[in-house]
Amino acid sequence: MRLRNITDARKKLELHPELVVLEPAQYKGRWSDCFGNDNPIFLEVGAGKGQFICGISEQLPDTNFLALEKYDSILFRAMQKLIANPRQNVLLLRGEAENLLEYFGANEIGRIYLNFSDPWPKKCNANRRLTYFRFLDKYRHILVPNGEIQFKTDNRAFFEFTLQHMNEYGMRFDCINLDLHAEEPECNVRTEYEISRSTSGATIYRLVCGFQ
Ligand SMILES: C[S@@+](CC[C@H](N)C(=O)[O-])C[C@H]1O[C@@H](n2cnc3c(N)ncnc32)[C@H](O)[C@@H]1O
């Protein structure tokens, strides 16, 4: 994702504590309190500029959404979208996927979205991919039993790596799409990256899976 630096992005995020949580660890185990209801909580990791979270939160109004992003300037773009399209069921989180266990308690999350995560193509960087074993360990801990992960990518090698890794981990596969846009389900919400890659002719792969 192209990162255009926003001057004073952090200060701008600080002006909207009702939309942006800059220290997510303070709400570990208490996210339902932030929303004031017991609706399921779905998490997007690597949310980018917020197109997906705006769309999916409108589609599923009785679900709470947390959108995690590590860069202030990108999160600022997502915040602008939420200011223009207010949602009661969305919070933006400034944080790192590495630290998921500091942010969420066991069984706190109903679904995890990994939309066009960085593929880290070099083999020496494989352990940074968000579907590497140590990330799967974290997802397993924070997901409710029978919770699911929805993963989309346009990178064939990353998709194959993910399938292989999850299979070795003993995960269940609920749905595999080798060309999501060929028979696109009505409920698919296209992300910013998905629109851009699909327009360039890329094939979009999707996987819905969970832990046994
Ligand atoms: C390729 S972009 C995709 C953005 C968006 N999901 C989409 O599909 O349009 C990947 C995003 O994940 C964020 N990201 C990458 N690694 C991350 C990590 N370890 N923790 C949190 N965010 C991360 C990046 O900053 C970037 O915004």
Side-chain angles (χ1 to χ4, degrees):
M1 168 150 304
R2 196 141 43 96
L3 175 61
R4 194 170 297 135
N5 198 43
I6 308 281
T7 313
D8 289 335
R10 174 56 73 103
K11 283 189 183 150
K12 289 171 179 159
L13 295 174
E14 283 170 357
L15 293 176
H16 290 278
E18 78 287 5
L19 298 176
V20 182
V21 179
L22 291 168
E23 301 293 342
Q26 66 184 305
Y27 294 116
K28 179 176 179 175
R30 303 191 291 119
W31 287 103
S32 289
D33 297 346
C34 295
F35 291 104
N37 60 53
D38 285 328
N39 290 344
I41 300 174
F42 291 1
L43 168 70
E44 185 185 14
V45 180
K49 297 177 191 166
Q51 170 109 358
F52 176 80
I53 214 69
C54 281
I56 194 77
S57 60
E58 188 176 18
Q59 190 182 96
L60 302 175
D62 295 329
T63 300
N64 297 320
F65 289 90
L66 299 172
L68 182 78
E69 170 55 51
K70 67 177 176 178
Y71 290 119
D72 288 347
S73 291
I74 297 179
L75 203 59
F76 174 74
R77 297 288 188 209
M79 186 182 83
Q80 284 182 311
K81 283 199 183 70
L82 280 181
I83 290 172
N85 307 281
R87 301 270 189 276
Q88 295 302 313
N89 59 338
V90 179
L91 283 173
L92 304 175
L93 274 49
R94 206 282 193 188
E96 239 299 332
E98 288 285 350
N99 304 328
L100 283 176
L101 298 188
E102 292 173 26
Y103 307 153
F104 306 108
N107 307 330
E108 205 171 7
I109 299 297
R111 180 183 293 168
I112 295 172
Y113 295 101
L114 301 173
N115 291 324
F116 299 86
S117 309
D118 297 332
W120 292 103
K122 286 187 187 164
K123 211 173 174 181
C124 61
N125 286 324
N127 66 353
R128 297 181 181 217
R129 297 174 193 152
L130 292 187
T131 53
Y132 196 74
F133 289 132
R134 67 197 169 89
F135 286 105
L136 300 182
D137 287 340
K138 297 179 203 293
Y139 305 148
R140 188 178 53 169
H141 183 75
I142 65 175
L143 273 176
V144 296
N146 289 320
E148 66 178 34
I149 297 174
Q150 295 196 4
F151 170 78
K152 290 195 277 190
T153 185
D154 64 314
N155 185 304
R156 174 92 192 189
F158 185 26
F159 190 70
E160 286 174 5
F161 167 90
T162 296
L163 275 175
Q164 221 166 16
H165 248 64
M166 289 181 165
N167 189 41
E168 277 177 44
Y169 201 92
M171 291 176 67
R172 62 162 211 272
F173 296 108
D174 300 336
C175 181
I176 297 174
N177 299 100
L178 296 177
D179 186 354
L180 180 63
H181 291 183
E183 286 183 53
E184 188 172 5
E186 220 173 276
C187 61
N188 184 50
V189 175
R190 293 191 180 196
T191 76
E192 241 132 16
Y193 202 81
E194 184 171 355
I195 292 166
S196 143
R197 296 299 297 134
S198 175
T199 307
S200 307
T203 300
I204 307 298
Y205 305 94
R206 176 175 177 264
L207 179 59
V208 179
C209 55
F211 298 94
Q212 309 270 13

